[in-house]
Each structure stands twice: as structure tokens, then as C-alpha cells.
Amino acid sequence: MTTQPDLLYSEEEEALRAAVRDLLADHCDAPGLIVRTESAAPHDLAAWKALADGMGLAGLLVPEEHGGQGATHREAAVVLEELGRAVAPVPFLTSAVVATEALLACGATDLVTELASGRRIGALAVALHVAPDAAHRSVRQEGGLLHGELTGIADAAAADVFLVPADDGVLHAVDAEAVTVTPQVSLDLTRPVATVTLDGAEGRPLGEAAPAVRRALRAGAGLLASEQLGLAEWTLTETVRYLKERKQFNRPVGGFQALKHRLAQLWLEVVNLRAAARNAAGALAADTDAEVAVAVAQAYAAPVAVHAAEEALQLHAGIGMTWEHPVHLYLKRAKADSLAYGTAGAHRAALARLVDLQAP
């Protein structure tokens, strides 16, 4: 008998949402975000400290015996919805989800405890665009030292430790001081990527790389849908609010039927995205049909998030085209997220394989 997924939010999840939203309102206001993207320090480490240390969210997926909260992917998804709403420049997805999942797969409990405490930030040294079932680059292991260059590593600038897959099939932990991090030009200014160069860096073997990377990227792709949901909800809500206030011909712009139809269609897409994202989070938490649920969520999430951000930009008209309005940050995040952990097309292809529904 198949268990029906629970797509609703519990009281505890709603309380968590309210707490995270209040904290982000204090740390990630739009003017401050825009100023930060123009600086040499795009990550908001003060906000991250408040989330990781103050609220314990860095260890949300870590069992209590290892210093974590012992929560599930459902709670992590709620946090990511709020981070998406704020386009918060913090390494929650990359450290508290992806790197943590890789460490849990390897049984590296000491390093998991450090990440859970928020004292250190981890980054899986796999390019952001790599899908869970896709091949990824590895570095060369020679004489116990690691050599090579890895590009497109998200949040590398904020990381204290890198989890590096090598050609010996092992995942290695490498301290940030042992590598060279070179920023790359990033479309998403709130989640920058960088090149990580290892020139004889010493790594600590953690465990088999392939299953750890696959588990980490699967969780990253599944919970990314919740971030995209939060982004889409914010852009839709702000666009509706603006169209109610903006007047033309002495009537609110939102009263024009053509715009009502566009917003209604977008609302339906966002509601469907919520169902897909919640299903993916629930499947990851229960570890039941997670591959299918993640593929479905990511096949649907990226087009909806991009559509919502594009509609927000266009319907805000002239003000939406300015640097001072934050909608461009949401569009850039939506565009970057549409490539992260596999494109929608890659996930549709994966779904076809998983359910044995091949194209003619």
C-alpha cells in the first residue's frame, strides 16, 4: 500500500518559518542586499551566524548525537523557502544540505559535528550545474596529495573546508587554506561561484566518493525546489501588491483583465510548484521514491521560478528595470537555479528513465 504524501505544513514548521522570516527581515533587507552584491564580500556572514549559531539551522539535518537538530528535509525545505523569498546570500544549501549530506554518507561524524555547530562552512567541490546522476570532475591523487582544478563551485569563497572527489574514488576533506579560490563571473550575485585550484593539497580521506556525491546532489536538487518556490511566491506577491497600488487612467493597473489572467496563471503554477516541492522534501525525509520525486520537482520548478521572476520584472515596468529595485536579484537567482543540480530537461530525461517511459 502506497503512503500518500503529506503536502501540508505542521505547526512546528510554520513556527520555524516565522522565526526565520523575522530574522531575515532584520538581516537581508533589499537595499542592504544590493549594496552587498557590489562589495568584495557577497556573503552575509552575520546573517549566517545568526541562522547557524543563534537558531541552530546549520545542523538541521544532523542527528542529535552528532550535535545537530535531528530534523528532516521537510524542515530544511521550510528554511529554504524563506531563504528563497529573501534571496539571502548565505551558504545554507551548499553547507547545511549538500556538504552535510555528503559527510553523513561517508560517516565523517567529527566534520559533520563541526558543520552542524556553524563553526565551519563546508562546500562540496562539484560544479553547481552537475545533476545527481551526471558525471563530475575529479582531481588527481598522487602520493597522498591532490592536484587539479575544479570550476563552478558555489559558495567557495565562504567555505572553510572542501569535500573533494579524487580519481582514487575517495572523497577527501581539504582545508580552505590549502587551496586557491578564484572568483568567477557569476550571474547570481547572491550565490557566487569560483574556481578551486589544488596544487599538492593534503586531503583527509572520508569515504567512497560516488555514493556520497550522488546523495548530496540529490538532496540539493530536491530542496532547491523549495528555494525556487519561495522565490516564486515573493515575486508573485510583490507583483500583485504593486499592481494594486500603481494607477493608470485613474484606476489600479491590476484591475485590467489581461493582467488578471497573467497573474491567475502564475498563481496556478506557483501552487503546483508548492505541491511538487513539498512532495520532494517529504520523499527525501522518508527516503521513499526520492529519485522520482526530486526529478518531478526539478523538472517543474525551474520554469515556474523563471516565469515568476520575468513577469515580476515586466509588470513592475520602469521601476523594475532599475538597479535599486531588488527584482533583478530574484531573476538572476531564478536563472542560476534553473541550471543548478541539473536543468529541467536533464531531470525530465532522468524521470523518463526512472519510470521507464522512454521517448519514441
Side-chain angles (χ1 to χ4, degrees):
M1 181 178 178
T2 303
T3 303
Q4 293 298 319
D6 181 7
L7 305 183
L8 302 179
Y9 299 94
S10 67
E11 290 184 9
E12 292 78 9
E13 289 166 351
E14 291 293 2
L16 175 62
R17 178 195 308 284
V20 174
R21 186 174 298 188
D22 286 347
L23 188 149
L24 293 176
D26 294 334
H27 286 84
C28 295
D29 61 297
L33 273 176
I34 293 170
V35 169
R36 184 168 292 282
T37 61
E38 298 173 323
S39 72
H43 293 96
D44 190 340
L45 296 182
W48 172 246
K49 180 176 175 59
L51 289 165
D53 192 17
M55 297 185 65
L57 298 186
L60 208 57
L61 296 178
V62 177
E64 293 182 30
E65 59 265 29
H66 301 313
Q69 301 298 319
T72 72
H73 298 81
R74 288 174 58 91
E75 288 79 18
V78 171
V79 174
L80 278 163
E81 285 180 32
E82 294 307 309
L83 295 177
R85 285 179 61 90
V87 285
V90 296
F92 180 84
L93 180 63
T94 48
S95 181
V97 175
V98 176
T100 295
E101 287 276 3
L103 291 172
L104 289 172
C106 292
T109 55
D110 56 339
L111 197 47
V112 163
T113 301
E114 292 183 7
L115 262 60
S117 69
R119 292 193 301 269
R120 304 186 80 185
I121 296 172
L124 180 66
V126 173
L128 183 60
H129 70 272
V130 175
D133 59 348
H136 58 83
R137 294 183 63 180
S138 300
V139 298
R140 188 176 81 259
Q141 192 274 133
E142 185 176 313
L145 301 179
L146 303 176
H147 305 263
E149 183 178 274
L150 300 165
T151 59
I153 310 303
D155 293 333
D160 300 303
V161 60
F162 291 94
L163 311 180
V164 183
D167 59 4
D168 59 355
V170 174
L171 192 67
H172 298 260
V174 180
D175 289 335
E177 295 80 8
V179 307
T180 301
V181 176
T182 307
Q184 295 177 253
V185 177
S186 303
L187 174 63
D188 180 5
L189 303 176
T190 60
R191 181 177 286 147
V193 297
T195 297
V196 176
T197 304
L198 300 94
D199 187 10
E202 185 175 351
R204 177 161 66 94
L206 299 173
E208 192 177 353
V213 170
R214 186 163 53 249
R215 171 175 166 174
L217 296 184
R218 185 186 69 176
L223 294 184
L224 178 67
S226 292
E227 177 181 290
Q228 291 165 306
L229 169 61
L231 185 155
E233 286 185 326
W234 184 92
T235 51
L236 174 59
T237 301
E238 284 299 302
T239 303
V240 170
R241 183 191 61 77
Y242 176 77
L243 293 181
K244 286 181 178 179
E245 296 176 354
R246 179 76 167 88
K247 291 187 176 181
Q248 193 174 57
F249 306 116
N250 203 32
R251 61 178 292 190
V253 174
F256 292 102
Q257 191 174 38
L259 298 189
K260 287 182 178 180
H261 288 173
R262 288 169 64 171
L263 293 171
Q265 176 61 37
L266 187 56
W267 181 83
L268 288 172
E269 293 177 10
V270 172
V271 169
N272 290 335
L273 171 54
R274 183 183 299 115
R278 292 298 292 167
N279 183 54
L284 286 167
D287 198 19
T288 304
D289 293 328
E291 290 85 359
V292 171
V294 168
V296 168
Q298 271 307 312
Y300 190 76
V304 172
V306 171
H307 182 212
E310 289 176 341
E311 287 285 73
L313 180 67
Q314 186 176 63
L315 294 178
H316 273 81
I319 188 65
M321 296 297 293
T322 63
W323 183 261
E324 290 75 15
H325 196 284
V327 69
H328 66 93
L329 298 177
Y330 289 84
L331 179 57
K332 291 168 183 174
R333 173 68 72 90
K335 288 284 191 180
D337 280 357
S338 70
L339 303 177
Y341 306 119
T343 63
H347 285 283
R348 283 193 292 270
L351 180 61
R353 293 193 300 272
L354 289 167
V355 300
D356 195 24
L357 185 64
Q358 301 298 326

